[in-house]
């Protein structure tokens, strides 16, 4: 039963398990106590800090343990913003940061600060000069991930760090996805990461703050972890996190080569095996283990369940799989198709046979989901006769600025239905004619233009819930 | 090597260890994911929530897991204050709350709120009517611990909850020390606790918020734990925490009786075995496993180390054992002696022989520390000839408001030296004469009046670093 959701969380690494078990007996006392149990715990904590700092590439006294990667990001951002409050309250983030960064940015805005999101290109990558252009005299902090968690695209962190240094702005790097593969290059100021992304336990994050970076940890503060993480931590989990980071790093170079080949294979084969697929993310500058694609006319949740039944655990950025019913902000920022979105992220040790099995199962899973949705066939759209007429509102024939036009009412229907209904009628207007699509599903804003690009039609834009598309072929 | 610091942290309970090991294999995935690994994790999380809620005495949907007891308190206080911001920004806390509560109160003050500390009596207990008197029309929240972590005194939570309910003010109960022994009685609104106090892992806190309590979790918020604990948690640790709480509760009634008898024995024997000792905390209404006493003329850190060398791990609220060199705020609020302070907190299963061994070792450990400090003997103060003269400034003979007076300069000297120097000279003024003590150590403010009370002299008060004492006998 292959688990292909490594970018979400990994099973405990064997070394983490060993270290955890060993530390359960030695590491339960309060490391700030003076008695022998406390001193023993302190030794373990110090050793874990040494090991983690070495892997991060910082001094042990620059590194604190947080109760999650999310907390490390929240604390890092709040602390750096507070430390530079006199400079200003302008925060720069990329548009594809992890939600933890964006949530912290929202909190900063609610508190009166300003936030600027730097856009990305279609591969999900920021441009260093574009990032630099967002920096201002009152910019207190800039945040950039080392690599994207949904599509695997690596960011130009070293170049952006240079640009930030030149502007005198500290750069916080969210290294959650890349740290298991190696240290972050470049002159960053703060760095955050999360142990369960490398086979450490949950509930352990890292926050590095370089000496000299102004930092005022958000209150309430206590005496633990340089004031950066209040409360009694799970020391055995910290020990396990540090031990597994070392272990994972020892295997990283060889494993990266191996997984990169498997991911290459998925990137190449999926579009051959499945019609109407868009593989997203930078094809070269990317994490070794992540590949993401979107399937036209597919309900992401249904595909997720179909793959789950077939034994494959993956994740999706489609709107139907999110609690808020909006597509992933990463896919939105990239402007790529969000429907039928699947992220495959391979754990270390993934067997080639499992990838092959996935490639065997995927086409049929997609076909079934499409058949269930009565989706148009690839290349040749078919007539929508199969479904009972009462379920469909007949498109209304009219004229639109002097050209023949059809209006399709998809109001109240969820992704991918509006795009399917659009695809069904496009051939019923002549080339040059338009289709007006009424859709109030959030995903349509992303998927209608993406569909136009994939199909070669002209996207004329949207006003409110009204989308206009011109048939081109 | 007996560990008598249970109130600080406990070794992992065997049931916690078993549950942890079992959950390591099943509970590593993200419980919010739709795939089978995610669903399995979700099942574990739901079961842990059920079990913990039952032990707390609340509904599962009222309970969230936090990354520590401290975080649970911080979130509970900030969330309740924000939820009732329209009512006002007045916060009431007892003066002997855990530092996590007081840190949150300081943060609230720094943010423009007001805080009122309800004083305690010499046993460390608030009066329900005194607590009620602090509630105002603009009081957003009141906080009271179920039992004190340093001296074991139980608070009148049920009565205070009634008073708060009558005033329409939610009551947050810090149940960290008492929850292993039983649910908190009374109609509380919010409750926080910490798993490592009952043999669960570190890094797991509980926060219960009763339905109907206005609550706005502090930002940044994510979708986990009802928005009350952002970030990916350590699920196996949560499972272990819930399992061990059940296990500890099953043994609680019998173990409470057994430990209470051992603590009685310590409370009775210590003053018989060691001269000049003050046993503090309520003699009856207290936790079964905690006993605290202070030893005159003793350096708490030195005594801690002496006991540690003899194989006993205890803790201390003396100023010399704190990083800030101030005595515990609990002892200060109680107005009891802080020097030579020792807290003995017995873990479940403590053998009577170990307690007896402690009682054998303690008198000699205290004697040695006193001898090293050249402390006055009990009852008959001796002359200070043994120490080289250059280490002592000779007391200056003068008159003070017409009566003979001696001035002792203890500036720059740390607890317990100022009190020792005071004790050394008290017999050199006639009965009715005064000693003026110059001392800038924070502990003097507590220990000089406490010494006067223990010795039957009259404490005339302090101005700045100048203390005045009248000899009575």
């Amino acid at each position: 039963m292959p688990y292909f959701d490594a970018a979400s969380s990994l099973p405990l690494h064997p070394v983490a398990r060993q270290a955890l078990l060993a530390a359960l007996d030695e590491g339960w006392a309060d490391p700030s106590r003076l008695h022998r149990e406390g001193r023993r715990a302190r030794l373990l904590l110090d050793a874990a800090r040494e090991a983690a700092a070495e892997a991060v590439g910082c001094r042990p006294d620059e590194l604190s343990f947080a109760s999650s990667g999310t907390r490390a990001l929240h604390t890092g951002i709040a602390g750096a913003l507070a430390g530079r409050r006199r400079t200003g309250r302008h925060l720069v983030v990329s548009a594809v940061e992890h939600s933890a960064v964006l949530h912290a940015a929202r909190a900063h805005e609610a508190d009166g600060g300003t936030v600027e999101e730097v856009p990305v290109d279609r591969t999900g990558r920021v441009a260093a000069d574009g990032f630099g252009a967002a920096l201002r005299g009152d910019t207190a902090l800039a945040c950039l991930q080392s690599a994207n968690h949904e599509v695997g695209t690596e960011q130009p962190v070293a170049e952006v760090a240079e640009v930030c240094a030149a502007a005198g702005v500290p750069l916080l790097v969210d290294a959650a996805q890349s740290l298991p593969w190696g240290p972050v290059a470049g002159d960053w100021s703060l760095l955050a990461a999360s142990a369960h992304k490398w086979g450490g336990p949950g509930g352990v994050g890292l926050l590095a703050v370089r000496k000299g970076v102004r930092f005022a940890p958000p209150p309430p503060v206590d005496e633990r972890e340089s004031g950066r993480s209040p409360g009694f931590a799970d020391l055995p989990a910290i020990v396990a996190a540090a031990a597994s980071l070392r272990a994972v790093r020892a295997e990283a170079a060889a494993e990266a080569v191996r997984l990169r080949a498997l991911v290459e294979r998925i990137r190449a084969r999926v579009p051959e095996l499945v019609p109407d697929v868009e593989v997203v993310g930078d094809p070269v500058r990317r994490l070794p283990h992540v590949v993401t694609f979107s399937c036209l006319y597919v309900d992401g949740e249904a595909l997720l369940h179909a793959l789950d039944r077939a034994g494959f655990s993956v994740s999706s950025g489609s709107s139907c799989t999110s609690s808020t019913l909006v597509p992933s902000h990463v896919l939105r920022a990239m402007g790529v198709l969000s429907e039928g979105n699947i992220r495959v992220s391979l754990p270390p040790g993934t067997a080639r046979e499992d990838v092959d099995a996935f490639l065997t199962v995927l086409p049929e899973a997609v076909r079934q989901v499409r058949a269930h949705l009565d989706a148009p066939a690839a290349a040749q759209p078919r007539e929508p006769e199969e479904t009972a007429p009462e379920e469909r509102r007949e498109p209304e024939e009219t004229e639109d600025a002097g050209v023949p036009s059809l209006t399709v009412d998809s109001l109240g229907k969820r992704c991918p239905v509006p795009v399917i209904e659009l695809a069904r009628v496009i051939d019923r207007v002549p080339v040059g004619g338009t289709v007006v699509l009424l859709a109030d599903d959030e995903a349509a804003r992303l998927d209608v233009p993406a569909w136009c690009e994939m199909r070669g039609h002209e996207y004329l834009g949207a006003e409110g819930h009204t989308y206009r598309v011109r048939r081109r072929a």
Side-chain angles (χ1 to χ4, degrees), chain A:
Chain A
M1 305 290 272
Y3 174 80
F4 286 172
D5 196 17
S8 159
S9 191
L10 278 178
L12 212 57
H13 191 283
V15 167
R17 177 186 273 266
Q18 270 177 15
L20 182 71
L21 293 182
L24 288 179
D25 294 327
E26 296 278 309
W28 52 268
D30 186 340
S32 66
R33 294 284 174 193
L34 301 173
H35 47 57
R36 100 192 72 85
E37 291 83 358
R39 294 194 304 270
R40 247 187 243 147
R42 182 88 208 168
L43 284 175
L44 285 177
L45 180 59
D46 290 346
R49 198 183 312 279
E50 288 269 351
E54 197 191 330
V56 167
C58 68
R59 286 164 38 174
D61 60 352
E62 292 174 328
L63 189 83
S64 55
F65 293 105
S67 60
S68 65
T70 292
R71 281 284 193 194
L73 286 168
H74 290 176
T75 301
I77 292 170
L81 286 171
R84 283 179 41 93
R85 202 180 161 123
R86 284 193 194 170
T87 301
R89 303 201 67 201
H90 184 241
L91 169 66
V92 174
V93 301
S94 94
V96 294
E97 294 301 302
H98 188 272
S99 60
V101 171
L102 298 181
H103 290 152
R106 292 298 89 76
H108 180 57
E109 272 181 328
D111 191 38
T114 54
V115 176
E116 192 158 338
E117 285 193 7
V118 177
V120 294
D121 62 21
R122 260 188 94 79
T123 71
R125 192 171 158 98
V126 301
D129 53 354
F131 204 95
L135 303 175
R136 311 190 314 210
D138 65 339
T139 303
L141 176 68
C143 300
L144 181 63
Q145 62 196 191
S146 52
N148 187 268
H149 50 296
E150 285 190 34
V151 299
T153 299
E154 286 175 346
Q155 303 294 350
V157 169
E159 293 98 300
V160 167
E162 263 182 52
V163 170
C164 288
V169 173
L171 176 68
L172 181 150
V173 176
D174 171 7
Q177 290 297 337
S178 76
L179 199 68
W181 302 106
V184 173
D187 190 17
W188 47 266
S189 304
L190 303 101
L191 182 146
S194 176
H196 74 109
K197 306 290 189 191
W198 65 70
V204 181
L206 305 183
L207 174 61
V209 181
R210 291 274 192 217
K211 287 289 153 193
V213 172
R214 284 182 190 278
F215 194 85
V221 160
D222 69 17
E223 76 287 356
R224 299 188 190 272
E225 295 297 310
S226 318
R228 291 174 191 161
S229 188
F232 189 94
D234 187 355
L235 183 47
I238 286 172
V239 170
S244 52
L245 181 54
R246 279 171 81 118
V248 160
R249 278 291 186 77
E251 309 150 356
E255 197 57 21
V257 170
R258 217 177 61 76
L259 293 186
R260 196 174 282 277
L262 295 178
V263 161
E264 281 302 348
R265 187 166 160 72
I266 297 174
R267 289 183 71 93
R269 291 293 287 148
V270 164
E272 295 166 4
L273 294 166
V274 181
D276 293 326
V277 159
E278 183 177 9
V279 178
V280 300
D282 195 290
V284 178
R285 292 170 297 192
R286 56 178 175 71
L287 292 168
H289 65 307
V290 176
V291 48
T292 301
F293 51 87
S294 298
C295 309
L296 209 53
Y297 314 137
V298 165
D299 173 325
E301 183 168 0
L303 181 54
L304 218 60
H305 285 308
L307 290 170
D308 183 56
R309 281 192 300 275
F312 294 91
S313 298
V314 298
S315 77
S316 169
S318 293
S319 56
C320 46
T321 63
S322 94
S323 55
T324 52
L325 292 176
V326 294
S328 128
H329 68 276
V330 173
L331 302 178
R332 266 185 292 171
M334 293 165 67
V336 297
L337 188 71
S338 80
E339 63 187 37
N341 179 263
I342 293 294
R343 177 186 69 184
V344 173
S345 50
L346 305 178
T350 297
R352 186 186 161 106
E353 299 77 59
D354 286 341
V355 169
D356 287 344
F358 176 76
L359 291 172
T360 305
V361 158
L362 179 70
E364 178 59 16
V366 172
R367 201 199 58 74
Q368 282 177 11
V369 173
R370 283 177 174 163
H372 188 77
L373 284 165
D374 190 22
Q380 43 187 36
R382 69 192 140 164
E383 289 304 302
E385 263 65 40
E386 298 90 330
T387 312
E390 65 275 17
E391 290 187 9
R392 295 254 177 80
R393 297 165 206 141
E394 259 310 286
E396 190 189 337
E397 290 183 42
T398 164
E399 284 215 339
D400 184 31
V403 298
S405 179
L406 268 183
T407 297
V408 185
D409 180 358
S410 293
L411 292 170
K413 297 183 181 170
R414 294 259 170 245
C415 158
V417 176
V419 172
I420 291 176
E421 296 193 336
L422 169 62
R424 271 202 207 99
V425 302
I426 192 74
D427 289 345
R428 290 170 59 176
V429 298
V431 172
T434 58
V435 174
V436 176
L437 173 71
L438 306 178
D440 52 6
D441 184 49
E442 269 282 335
R445 198 152 301 268
L446 200 52
D447 293 342
V448 173
W451 176 85
C452 290
E453 188 161 325
M454 289 173 83
R455 278 289 180 266
H457 299 299
E458 186 181 359
Y459 179 60
L460 298 172
E463 269 180 67
H465 296 148
T466 305
Y467 296 80
R468 292 174 65 249
V469 173
R470 176 171 290 136
R471 180 175 173 192
R472 276 294 179 209

